[in-house]
Amino acid sequence: MERNVTFRALAAVELVGLLFLGCGDEASNDGNQGTNEMPVMGQGTPQGGPPAPGGMEPSPTPGGTATPGGTATPAGQPQGAGAGGMATPGGMVTPGGMVTPGGMETPGGMETPGGMVTPGGMETPGGMMTPETPAEPGNPCPGSPPPAIKLTQIADGLTGPTYVTQAPGDPTRLYVLEQQGTVRVIENGMLKPTPAIDLRTLSAGSVDSTPVSGAPGSYSEAGLLGMVFHPDFETNGRLFLGYTSSTTQFTVAEFKLSDPDTIDPSSYSEVASWKQYPFLALPGTNHIGGMLAFSPKDGYLYVSRGDGGYENDAQRSGQDTSDDLSSILRIDPDTYPTPLDGNLTGHVWNYGFRNPWRFSFDRETGDMYIGDVGQDIGSGYEEVNVEPAGVSGRNYGWRATDILDSPYQGPCSGDCGGTNGPAVAYPITATANSVIGGYVYRGSKIPDMVGRYIYADWSERILKTFVYKGDDNGQAQVCDEHDTNVTVDQKVRSFGEGLDGELYVVGAGATRTMIGFNVEMGGASVTAPGVVYRIDPM
């Protein structure tokens, strides 16, 4: 997660790169365990505040009133205030042309000099290979707004939650990551008092979630960020955690359960570890990425990596495929560090990201959906990129120079400056400044939601949807882009997907009526009180 405000004056949200974190410490959560699932009533939407000048703290925004539903807006057009009182920035979608990651336009995969990679997937003189395959047709366009939904609270009493998931074969438990390094277990709506594991106590592989020095609210982007169960977990019992370690590394480590409520710390085995750069003059790290997911198509482990921190691609990693930063990596935990065939180069599957905090696979099609956090209020963009299953080597543009005539992210047309443009992009404002990638809904409780991708913005908190209908010459095409009728009370940190395809929302920090710089930063706190919700039909 991470946010888009510039560093000028400690007051800017980018200072700490408000990536995933929720809003203030004055959250209304009382810390009690959620013993029963309870509907969250009175969902409201905030009034859209004006964009703040670059680097300035967000302006206070009053909380909204409950609204019955979202108003449809034409695909590709900015969304404004709807009949339900919603006001959301963004939602710009533009088609584009087929390009090569190096920026040279080529007809259908012809060879190009200098080792460039072409969409056709043919090997080039430089030796790199991009196995671009024909795009799948995508999903049908419903031609209507999404159905009305609600949030059902599953449990509260969490501390700085970052992710929620389920173990294959066990539909009764949810595993929730806490940024400080603990994994909590919720069984049938009851939060168990003892963590499944506390990485802070490990002699090897310990976690580091040290707050950024000088930032308000114990802000940090470091800590325990990702968890995934092996596709064959029911037979091999393997799971993986992704976290920043005390040696300034991002580590992926393997563990096993000793029982359903306990992760055995003695089963620790490091799979991979990559350098995470310091936040320049300030201790701590940001733009980490940190998502882990196995592809339902090829069965390999994918890991997201940000650009190394600070702002303006300070490590110059965005367009550098020789390192692991600004990329989504594809590895085999059993054979790492041996690179896999089909990658762009080494372990890099695709690149050109600023901070891909959350990505996911459509469990039915295998398509990859990537939320990439942007930079700078008033000039930058938040992006959701969609990639057809099995297509590697795409360049998503950070920090290229030909998108909107600026070195940042955003919608594009034509050849997109030598990159693959986003499926959806919306401008960064004081009230919408960190995209949180979600999931394509594949559950059974909400039939009219099937095939729609649900995501949100950390600060804005409105659940949004669109449908990916396929690619056109290497550019993702979407339809039915709408807001839902739900605004999350807390800052949205993450989404999760259950075994049954039902979706969960992880929130932390102050309620939506508490807006202000210190509250925003407090919501990004390692210790912000948190909640897990399930998305249900109204």
Side-chain angles (χ1 to χ4, degrees):
M1 319 159 110
E2 200 284 36
R3 211 0 341 117
N4 318 299
V5 265
T6 63
F7 190 108
R8 314 172 201 172
L10 250 165
V13 181
E14 165 65 70
L15 151 64
V16 268
L18 266 184
L19 193 198
F20 58 65
L21 303 53
C23 184
D25 341 69
E26 300 104 346
S28 60
N29 297 330
D30 59 10
N32 295 328
Q33 297 175 8
T35 57
N36 296 295
E37 299 182 4
M38 65 187 262
V40 178
M41 307 301 292
Q43 304 286 355
T45 59
Q47 302 297 322
M56 301 300 291
E57 64 185 69
S59 301
T61 305
T65 57
T67 59
T71 303
T73 57
Q77 297 297 316
Q79 298 176 354
M86 296 182 179
T88 65
M92 300 173 67
V93 182
T94 58
M98 182 179 297
V99 298
T100 69
M104 298 180 63
E105 193 166 355
T106 62
M110 303 289 291
E111 293 190 359
T112 61
M116 306 298 288
V117 184
T118 71
M122 299 184 64
E123 192 166 359
T124 67
M128 283 202 278
M129 181 90 160
T130 303
E132 180 106 13
T133 57
E136 296 186 20
N139 300 292
C141 298
S144 61
I149 55 176
K150 66 181 180 181
L151 297 180
T152 299
Q153 181 175 304
I154 303 301
D156 62 0
L158 296 157
T159 301
T162 56
Y163 188 60
V164 60
T165 188
Q166 280 191 310
D170 185 359
T172 65
R173 289 176 176 81
L174 293 170
Y175 294 86
V176 183
L177 305 187
E178 292 181 318
Q179 191 179 350
Q180 63 189 357
T182 46
V183 179
R184 305 295 300 275
V185 179
I186 301 171
E187 184 178 13
N188 294 321
M190 295 282 293
L191 177 64
K192 294 182 176 291
T194 303
I197 194 171
D198 188 341
L199 295 179
R200 296 171 296 182
T201 65
L202 293 186
S203 56
S206 61
V207 70
D208 177 22
S209 59
T210 305
V212 173
S213 176
S218 299
Y219 171 87
S220 178
E221 292 180 24
L224 178 56
L225 308 180
M227 180 179 189
V228 67
F229 290 89
H230 193 280
D232 297 324
F233 172 80
E234 290 184 81
T235 58
N236 63 26
R238 302 168 68 187
L239 63 93
F240 303 86
L241 298 177
Y243 56 93
T244 52
S245 67
S246 56
T247 55
T248 320
Q249 302 282 117
F250 181 75
T251 297
V252 176
E254 178 179 335
F255 294 87
K256 289 190 175 183
L257 294 178
S258 54
D259 63 65
D261 296 329
T262 308
I263 298 173
D264 182 4
S266 68
S267 66
Y268 164 85
S269 176
E270 182 180 295
V271 174
S273 191
W274 299 284
K275 176 70 175 177
Q276 184 62 46
Y277 292 86
F279 191 2
L280 294 191
L282 301 178
T285 56
N286 69 337
H287 302 192
I288 296 166
M291 181 68 184
L292 311 180
F294 281 95
S295 166
K297 292 296 187 180
D298 65 22
Y300 290 120
L301 178 61
Y302 290 69
V303 182
S304 67
R305 298 282 286 134
D307 68 8
Y310 193 53
E311 61 180 4
N312 298 325
D313 192 14
Q315 312 299 335
R316 297 295 182 264
S317 62
Q319 295 297 302
D320 183 358
T321 59
S322 68
D323 63 22
D324 59 86
L325 296 172
S326 295
S327 305
I328 291 179
L329 310 180
R330 174 176 172 263
I331 67 173
D332 183 342
D334 295 326
T335 62
Y336 183 88
T338 302
L340 292 172
D341 291 340
N343 287 347
L344 170 64
T345 179
H347 306 297
V348 174
W349 176 256
N350 51 26
Y351 69 107
F353 300 108
R354 182 174 181 270
N355 192 14
W357 162 243
R358 289 293 176 243
F359 73 89
S360 65
F361 292 101
D362 182 337
R363 60 166 56 187
E364 183 172 300
T365 67
D367 298 333
M368 183 188 292
Y369 292 69
I370 310 152
D372 190 19
V373 181
Q375 176 179 308
D376 288 345
I377 289 175
S379 62
Y381 285 80
E382 302 294 314
E383 290 187 0
V384 177
N385 299 283
V386 184
E387 182 173 281
V391 176
S392 71
R394 287 192 168 180
N395 177 4
Y396 291 99
W398 179 259
R399 185 176 182 256
T401 58
D402 296 326
I403 299 177
L404 296 183
D405 297 319
S406 81
Y408 306 121
Q409 301 164 301
C412 62
S413 60
D415 69 0
C416 298
T419 68
N420 294 93
V424 167
Y426 60 90
I428 297 166
T429 70
T431 56
N433 44 52
S434 293
V435 66
I436 305 297
Y439 290 85
V440 175
Y441 181 78
R442 295 295 179 187
S444 60
K445 291 184 177 180
I446 320 173
D448 289 341
M449 192 67 81
V450 172
R452 299 180 195 259
Y453 178 73
I454 302 178
Y455 69 108
D457 184 276
W458 175 83
S459 186
E460 186 184 46
R461 306 175 312 283
I462 297 172
L463 300 189
K464 301 169 177 288
T465 68
F466 68 80
V467 175
Y468 168 63
K469 62 181 181 180
D471 267 24
D472 182 6
N473 291 326
Q475 295 301 130
Q477 306 296 305
V478 305
C479 57
D480 292 290
E481 186 184 355
H482 301 288
D483 290 355
T484 71
N485 60 299
V486 168
T487 299
V488 182
D489 275 342
Q490 297 78 18
K491 297 294 187 181
V492 179
R493 286 195 173 198
S494 191
F495 289 82
E497 184 179 34
L499 299 177
D500 55 4
E502 302 303 327
L503 301 186
Y504 296 84
V505 179
V506 177
T511 60
R512 61 178 176 269
T513 57
M514 299 179 180
I515 302 298
F517 177 67
N518 286 342
V519 176
E520 289 272 336
M521 300 304 294
S525 169
V526 176
T527 59
V531 184
V532 173
Y533 302 100
R534 186 180 60 232
I535 299 175
D536 284 336
M538 182 66 78

